[in-house]
Amino acid sequence: MRAIWSRDAMAAEGTYPPLFTLKAVARDVWIADGPIIDLYRMPFPTRMTVVRLSSGDLWLHSPIAFSADLLEALQEIGPVRHLIAPNWLHYAHVQDWADALPAAQTWVAPGVVERAEGQGVRLRADHLLGDAAPEPWSGDLDQMIVPGSRLHREAVFFHRASRSLILTDLIENFEPARLPWHLRIVTRVAGNQHPDGSMPRDLRLTFDRQALAGAVRRMIAWEPARILIAHGRWYPARAVDELRRAFRFLDL
């Protein structure tokens, strides 16, 4: 399903305004919040993470809906060189950014190309993401493809200098005050509601628990200071404690 959005959604309940605006997180790390997308009848707030590599190039994780104003703001801090589709659900806007930035390279997680083709979404996939960080960012970021699920293959990243762990859907943290009443019930049942955000229970069922636990242990070993996520309230501190809490359903 391709994400559906409109500029009218910019003021919608559940978003994190101001939208399409760079917000500093740490040195060389920013986020930009986007509008709501409608995914399986569930309104998801969207968020992009931006890292300025030691080369000066910008690395965009899970690009939100394209905005010329946001692109201008990005170009003031560096040239956009890398567009990251970190899992099979986070690719819808990559091509729009690639069209505006023909010199930028697109990097996709396993399963993204097949998903885009199946949904009839045009996508230029220049590179496939793997367990090892490629040369353009190996000096700045660690990465891995989380194993254990044939359905959900997500690339996770760790920015070493700022100790920022960058996830996509492995943790979701919807704030109930930003949701209509019926979705407060849904997210509570699904296990992805703040203050106890976690991997949605339906997604957990697709994973081999031992393999997932090994990946989470590796994330903990990175000793992150914060966790940036795509959907809901992110975690500015106590990242290791939050990982242990969010994945307490595993035998860590």
Side-chain angles (χ1 to χ4, degrees), residues 3-252:
I4 300 171
W5 72 281
S6 72
R7 292 285 174 176
D8 293 339
M10 289 180 62
E13 183 179 15
T15 59
Y16 287 80
L19 305 187
F20 302 103
T21 301
L22 285 176
K23 304 168 185 177
V25 170
R27 183 175 181 178
D28 293 326
V29 181
W30 298 260
I31 58 172
D33 288 294
I36 290 289
I37 61 170
D38 180 12
L39 187 64
Y40 301 120
R41 299 182 182 274
M42 173 79 179
F44 278 65
T46 55
R47 180 176 297 119
M48 172 172 72
T49 298
V50 178
V51 174
R52 181 165 54 198
L53 304 175
S54 54
S55 64
D57 294 342
L58 298 187
W59 180 94
L60 274 55
H61 174 274
S62 188
I64 58 175
F66 179 76
S67 160
D69 290 341
L70 177 55
L71 175 56
E72 182 178 354
L74 288 164
Q75 290 174 326
E76 290 178 359
I77 61 173
V80 179
R81 293 287 187 249
H82 306 288
L83 306 171
I84 312 300
N87 70 37
W88 65 297
L89 294 172
H90 283 251
Y91 64 89
H93 301 302
V94 168
Q95 189 60 51
D96 294 332
W97 286 87
D99 288 342
L101 296 159
Q105 296 289 296
T106 60
W107 302 76
V108 305
V112 169
V113 170
E114 296 80 3
R115 173 71 172 182
E117 289 176 350
Q119 297 297 309
V121 176
R122 183 172 61 94
L123 177 64
R124 189 192 84 219
D126 297 321
H127 307 280
L128 183 67
L129 292 165
D131 278 319
E135 186 276 333
W137 62 79
S138 60
D140 299 281
L141 295 158
D142 291 316
Q143 73 183 56
M144 67 173 159
I145 305 295
V146 175
S149 173
R150 292 184 178 181
L151 173 67
H152 191 83
R153 305 295 304 284
E154 180 168 320
V156 303
F157 303 90
F158 177 65
H159 182 243
R160 293 190 291 271
S162 69
R163 297 173 56 205
S164 299
L165 179 63
I166 304 169
L167 306 181
T168 313
D169 294 316
L170 295 181
I171 296 178
E172 298 169 353
N173 192 36
F174 293 98
E175 295 184 89
R178 295 175 180 268
L179 297 172
W181 68 269
H182 62 290
L183 292 178
R184 297 176 192 178
I185 298 173
V186 170
T187 54
R188 184 171 183 179
V189 172
N192 56 353
Q193 184 183 104
H194 180 74
D196 197 21
S198 182
M199 178 183 289
R201 286 191 169 89
D202 59 342
L203 188 57
R204 298 178 199 178
L205 295 175
T206 75
F207 274 91
D208 173 84
R209 292 168 63 91
Q210 185 174 359
L212 179 59
V216 176
R217 290 190 193 100
R218 185 176 176 189
M219 296 180 213
I220 290 171
W222 284 334
E223 298 184 345
R226 65 185 58 80
I227 306 173
L228 300 172
I229 61 176
H231 306 300
R233 185 171 179 174
W234 59 279
Y235 301 94
R238 301 180 64 251
V240 170
D241 290 342
E242 295 292 358
L243 283 170
R244 294 187 184 281
R245 175 200 53 75
F247 292 99
R248 64 182 180 274
F249 60 91
L250 300 171
D251 184 19
L252 295 176

